[in-house]
Amino acid sequence: MGKHKNLVIVKAVIEQGLSVSQTARKYGISRQWVYTLLHRYQQHGPEALTTGSRTPTRHPHRTPGAVRERILALRSQLHTDGADAGAETIAWHLRNEGHHAPSKATIHRILRAAGLVTDEPRKRPKSSLRRFAASLPNETWQADITYWRLRTGMRVEILDFLDDHSRYLLSLQAHLPCTGATVVSTMHELIGIYGPPASTLTDNGLVFTSRLASRPGARNGFEILLATEGIQQKNGSPGHPQTQGKIERFHQTLKRWLAAQQPATSLGQLQDQLDEFRQWYNHHRPHRGIGRRTPSQAYTALPKATPETTPPGSYRTRIDTIDPYGKVTIRYAGKLRHLGIGRAYAGTDVLLLIDQNHVSTSSTETGEIIAEHRIDPDRDYQPRYNPE
């Protein structure tokens, strides 16, 4: 109903002398609406007769202006710093500053209203992902080498070690180049600081393993150091970088942060930036994968695993040799179970890690995981488990 008709209704009462009931019947409206229009006219004049929104004029749950401004400022600051700037991260920073953080959806709406959200293609739902993480700090260290360029264009190799359970960044060093001796000395230094881990997980680079060398034979320095310390060595399957998914994702965070800094002109300047990044990453950046804690908080929250210990009551292990038919046996629920590995592995010495009904089988020579099984208690023969 427009302003003109509302004015006619008011004039019918004021100038024509119709009663409120007569006016309501004449124009097919409620008596309450007639009273409302009369009140508006008497208080604010004809301009008040425009039908407005019925939305309440007061919003007790609306995000305070100061918090909205801080949300936008944090978004800008985090982007400038090369850090994660999503709604969950912004909420974490708000809480740390003593603000009452709105919900993730509310923060997202505020960012969208300010034109700070870019729509992305629909992603795979998180519920469809299978996450594998160590149960304790020092249960598995992941290591890898990535690359960065100085302002001069020179390519630098960056060696990093990451604790799988807590995402704690144990070491981050720039080298020209990173050699096998560098990896050994870094690992030896880390063992002196944090103690030896129960296992390591790397790709098949020659600085980590010689098992895929053109002339395989004697183990390299890193393999000898691990064997001396009793540390289990695990290597991802060739061409399957998802095995080292955590450290690959870490490299994205590192490079986004480096890209936001002034380009380093020397190896020493780049190392200074890496040291600053490590401090921020470990102690000031909330990590989604560990419940929005910092890696430092997660690393210090639980006792550390060692080569001689595994999570209490979680694992048992045994050494075996795959028989000529490609099988090994374990005892589960009081009965022997035959695990199918494959005839191609006949005669291979293997280590079996048994966690409840899950069995992971790896070569004792190379550390590569060659089969996984989910034990079905109603069966004797257990086929290989394919997580796909």
Side-chain angles (χ1 to χ4, degrees), residues 68 71-72 75 87 90 104-120:
R68 295 170 66 89
I71 288 172
L72 299 179
R75 174 76 167 197
I90 290 173
K104 175 184 173 182
T106 298
I107 294 175
H108 188 78
R109 284 196 298 269
I110 291 171
L111 298 177
R112 180 179 288 279
L116 299 178
V117 174
T118 301
D119 291 329
E120 298 180 354

Side-chain angles (χ1 to χ4, degrees), residues 158-370:
I158 299 176
L159 171 66
D160 40 45
F161 280 80
L162 192 74
D163 179 66
D164 185 275
H165 168 80
S166 64
R167 315 305 203 274
Y168 188 79
L169 184 54
L170 301 155
S171 178
L172 188 65
Q173 298 180 0
H175 300 280
L176 284 174
C178 182
T179 64
T182 301
V183 173
V184 172
S185 63
T186 302
M187 183 68 181
H188 189 271
E189 180 181 351
L190 292 177
I191 290 174
I193 298 172
Y194 300 103
S199 66
T200 61
L201 174 61
T202 69
D203 62 18
N204 296 281
L206 291 177
V207 296
F208 298 118
T209 178
S210 61
R211 70 190 188 91
L212 297 182
S214 57
R215 295 182 178 179
R219 297 185 176 187
N220 67 14
F222 185 68
E223 293 170 311
I224 292 172
L225 173 59
L226 297 186
T228 301
E229 295 286 344
I231 300 169
Q232 181 193 3
Q233 182 177 26
K234 296 182 286 188
N235 300 95
S237 300
H240 197 268
Q242 295 89 336
T243 305
Q244 293 85 43
K246 294 184 184 70
I247 208 161
E248 294 292 342
R249 178 62 182 85
F250 161 76
H251 288 160
Q252 297 177 28
T253 300
L254 169 64
K255 292 182 178 180
R256 184 170 60 246
W257 187 91
L258 285 174
Q261 314 306 310
Q262 289 294 326
T265 58
S266 66
L267 189 67
Q269 187 177 6
L270 176 60
Q271 186 59 56
D272 289 341
Q273 291 180 340
L274 295 179
D275 292 341
E276 180 183 352
F277 171 86
R278 180 169 174 261
Q279 176 71 16
W280 168 75
Y281 183 87
N282 280 340
H283 301 282
H284 304 287
R285 175 185 179 272
H287 200 297
R288 180 182 304 175
I290 52 176
R292 287 291 163 185
R293 295 176 295 168
T294 64
S296 177
Q297 290 170 332
Y299 185 75
T300 57
L302 294 172
K304 308 298 183 290
T306 69
E308 294 80 25
T309 64
T310 52
S314 180
Y315 294 109
R316 59 187 175 98
T317 63
R318 63 183 295 263
I319 301 292
D320 203 343
T321 301
I322 300 176
D323 69 19
Y325 302 99
K327 295 182 293 185
V328 292
T329 60
I330 66 167
R331 183 170 295 278
Y332 179 84
K335 295 182 180 180
L336 285 178
R337 316 288 176 169
H338 294 80
L339 280 57
I341 308 294
R343 289 178 182 266
Y345 295 100
T348 301
D349 293 326
V350 292
L351 171 68
L352 286 82
L353 277 72
I354 307 158
D355 178 14
Q356 299 182 29
N357 73 327
H358 177 261
V359 182
S360 177
T361 304
S362 59
S363 167
T364 58
E365 179 180 358
T366 66
E368 178 189 1
I369 296 176
I370 59 178

Side-chain angles (χ1 to χ4, degrees), residues 22-99:
Q22 289 171 331
T23 303
R25 286 194 299 270
K26 180 177 180 180
Y27 291 100
I29 56 178
S30 69
R31 293 171 65 251
Q32 182 60 44
W33 182 239
V34 177
Y35 282 119
T36 297
L37 293 176
L38 288 170
H39 178 74
R40 289 183 182 179
Y41 182 81
Q42 292 166 355
Q43 293 292 319
H44 305 290
E47 294 301 320
L49 298 180
T50 302
T51 303
S53 169
R54 297 188 179 185
T55 302
T57 56
R58 296 178 66 251
H59 300 270
H61 301 295
R62 175 177 287 172
T63 304
V67 175
R68 295 170 66 89
E69 291 178 7
R70 186 57 184 149
I71 288 172
L72 299 179
L74 280 170
R75 174 76 167 197
S76 176
Q77 176 186 332
L78 290 168
H79 264 307
T80 300
D81 293 344
D84 297 329
E88 292 183 17
T89 300
I90 290 173
W92 184 88
H93 283 283
L94 287 173
R95 287 190 291 270
N96 272 17
E97 294 175 359
H99 296 290

